[in-house]
Amino acid sequence: MRVKIALGMVTAMAFAPLVIAKGAAKGNAHHWETSPHHLSALVGTTYTKECGNAFTLGIDYEYRLSDFLGVGFVAEYAFEDLDAYTYLLVADLHITNNFIAQIGPGVEFHGSHKMEVARLGFLYEFEVSGFTISPQLHYDYHRNHKSAVVAGLAIGMSF
């Protein structure tokens, strides 16, 4: 499974120059003013020292407030030995049109155990035919517990 995720991320990065050139040729900038909502699905892996890598699925919703700021939520589930649900309220800081930093607090559940989590992550959105493809890397800090790294590829759309 990790090989498939890595191949997907490498493929996305390989086609990035083509996507950027195509968008620049058409003058396709993201028009958040007319479509401020963005929803994406994540496929990736969550790594912790205790459990190693765990296949992860997630959803991410953002509402754009300005050129720089969007707010939203993230919900993820890490399978296998990790067996964890993570829910976050996030701020998406659009450093450039495509490069985004994501920060926010949340909560994580491991069975009946609940812990606080804080996320700092980065993603780069490529726009292709009305969809976004974004490789992502996030660091989840857990106070009094081992932290986690989430890496994946998300596919989304604005509406």
Side-chain angles (χ1 to χ4, degrees):
M1 182 57 67
R2 286 183 248 156
V3 171
K4 289 180 184 178
I5 293 168
L7 285 174
M9 292 184 77
V10 168
T11 302
M13 296 303 263
F15 286 105
L18 176 65
V19 172
I20 292 169
K22 185 176 180 180
K26 288 184 177 181
N28 261 354
H30 178 67
H31 299 290
W32 65 266
E33 297 92 347
T34 58
S35 54
H37 305 275
H38 185 266
L39 185 65
S40 61
L42 172 83
V43 176
T45 185
T46 299
Y47 174 79
T48 63
K49 282 188 178 182
E50 295 96 355
C51 299
N53 286 298
F55 178 68
T56 303
L57 292 175
I59 60 168
D60 181 313
Y61 169 77
E62 175 192 18
Y63 181 78
R64 277 297 279 278
L65 298 171
S66 69
D67 283 337
F68 180 68
L69 180 63
V71 294
F73 67 87
V74 173
E76 293 174 351
Y77 176 66
F79 290 80
E80 299 158 17
D81 291 339
L82 194 52
D83 190 33
Y85 293 89
T86 305
Y87 304 100
L88 301 148
L89 295 175
V90 295
D92 289 342
L93 310 175
H94 294 259
I95 298 165
T96 69
N97 215 19
N98 302 90
F99 183 62
I100 302 161
Q102 188 175 72
I103 59 170
V107 64
E108 188 164 292
F109 297 93
H110 297 271
S112 63
H113 186 66
K114 175 182 164 184
M115 68 179 81
E116 297 170 351
V117 60
R119 171 166 285 186
L120 171 62
F122 297 98
L123 52 131
Y124 196 92
E125 283 186 347
F126 302 100
E127 292 191 41
V128 182
S129 301
F131 291 93
T132 59
I133 299 170
S134 59
Q136 304 187 8
L137 183 63
H138 304 282
Y139 176 77
D140 290 350
Y141 170 77
H142 302 94
R143 186 175 55 185
N144 300 324
H145 295 281
K146 299 286 184 187
S147 296
V149 175
V150 180
L153 186 68
I155 298 175
M157 62 182 284
S158 295
F159 56 98

